[in-house]
Amino acid sequence: MSAHTLTVAGVAVDTRHWIGGERVASAQTFPDVSPIDGGTIGEISRGTAGEAAAAVAAAKAAFPAWAATSRAERARILHAIADGVDKRLEELAIVETTDNGALLRSHRRGVMPRVAHNFRFFADWLLKLEHEDFETRGHTNHVSWDPAGPCVLITPWNAPLMLATWKVAPALAAGNTVVLKPAEWSPLTASLLADIAAEAGLPAGVLNVVQGYGAEIGDALTSHPDVRRISFTGSVPTAQRIAESAAANLTPLSLELGGKSPLLVFADADLDLAVELAVEQYDNAGQVCLAGTRLLVEESVAEEFTRRFAEQASALKQGDPRAEATDIGPTIHPRQLEKIDGFVRRAVAAGARAVIGGHRVDGQYYAPTLLTDVAQDSEIVQEEVFGPVLTLQTFSDEEEAVRLANDTRFGLAATLATGDPERADRVTARLVAGTVWVNCFFVRDLRAPFGGSRLSGVGREGGTWSFDFYCDLKNTVTAPNGWTNHG
């Protein structure tokens, strides 16, 4: 076994970059630490501007041939990658759980199957991607999607492989080449994806994976003049730096950023369902951008809702994410844990009351927390915590509910619990959000547009919207009867 290979829960993982179809080591490394026990999993190649330039060069060199590859062949290879994910599903699940602390049962049953689905969906969508021709004064208009070029994809740590392939799959399907930069807190499954893609027959240089710290390698990627698309999921401050970096080349951006989403509970809602939806917001230890962290409950049912919620949330089992019975695992990193705790401590100092939780548990675990008596303009209500921390506020009528729901800088998602379909229509029409769920949560279909409003992002992806971003759209206009036979 290579000196650059880790054994993670019995799975071999190469710690080097994947550039131009070869493994490339860096002179320096950085430690990858498991949030489960705080132990170092291993040392990962730490890329800098040199590796960034090499990866973009490899993607640029591979682009003409991949762009010229037929849609059918591109789709075939993407399906082969999906097959490879299915074959290694258990390995991917245990490696990702070790790396980022999310529940193993979720990785097995939902997340890794979704990774394979990402590739299959965009492969199939590619084959039916078309726009009906239309006429202008007898001239025929034909719309086509042309591959744009090398794409830089920068992905987060909370669902590393699923969110990476949500970008990689449509970019490759569109005929682009890719440089993937995974989060430094959870890089391992991106390395395994490189192996799977190569085994599936993806040509060298079409997918490149570079690891490292954003401050050291990120700007070299996002400012590179040969990069034609940048897609990023993460925080608003990082997105602002990426936008500045990309501005010189006018590189198009797709940004999926933070959220401070509301969950509105009206008195006419099924209260059991509303409580169930609210408790579900603790999924992945609250490290979910779409989470409805602001519970807004109609005054007349607030006391009963709070009682039931506290009872159900307190029964959640927190512990080792590899155990089948565990409901909540650890936070990703000591720095994130400190951030979460700081938010809660400042909120309590300002007058908030912890109905449940409000404190750290052993290791990198934070107790599921619900805070009440919070002001609308307070930090805990306005800023994304990204941990198992919810706030609860009350409203008196529909007008106040909508006002409170929209009163942040964000607009990623919203959840609504009501028994009145007319009210649902009225309220959802007024909510500022890229996705609204009514009496459900986290139902996602790749055919639907996904993205955020306000500071929650720029652009939409999913279905044809993904191809609109990852391609240069072309309209070809042909004159009627304009052909000359030159014999």
Side-chain angles (χ1 to χ4, degrees), residues 146-233:
D146 292 352
C151 301
V152 165
L153 312 179
I154 303 174
T155 55
W157 45 258
N158 58 323
L161 192 58
M162 193 274 283
L163 292 176
T165 55
W166 160 250
K167 302 175 187 295
V168 170
L172 295 181
N176 298 321
T177 52
V178 165
V179 178
L180 171 63
K181 192 277 181 192
E184 58 267 28
W185 287 351
S186 56
L188 298 182
T189 49
S191 180
L192 293 176
L193 176 64
D195 295 335
I196 292 169
E199 291 165 5
L202 191 69
V206 175
L207 172 65
N208 306 274
V209 179
V210 291
Q211 302 144 161
Y213 297 123
E216 296 178 348
I217 195 171
D219 183 65
L221 290 171
T222 56
S223 64
H224 201 294
D226 291 332
V227 171
R228 296 314 313 137
R229 294 292 187 274
I230 299 169
S231 182
F232 168 73
T233 298

Side-chain angles (χ1 to χ4, degrees), residues 18-22 58-59 62-63 65-67 69 73-74 76-78 81 172 177-178 194 197-208:
W18 178 254
I19 299 174
E22 297 180 351
F63 173 67
W66 182 244
T69 300
E73 177 62 7
R74 275 186 254 149
R76 185 193 68 77
I77 292 176
L78 263 63
I81 295 173
L172 295 181
T177 52
V178 165
E199 291 165 5
L202 191 69
V206 175
L207 172 65
N208 306 274

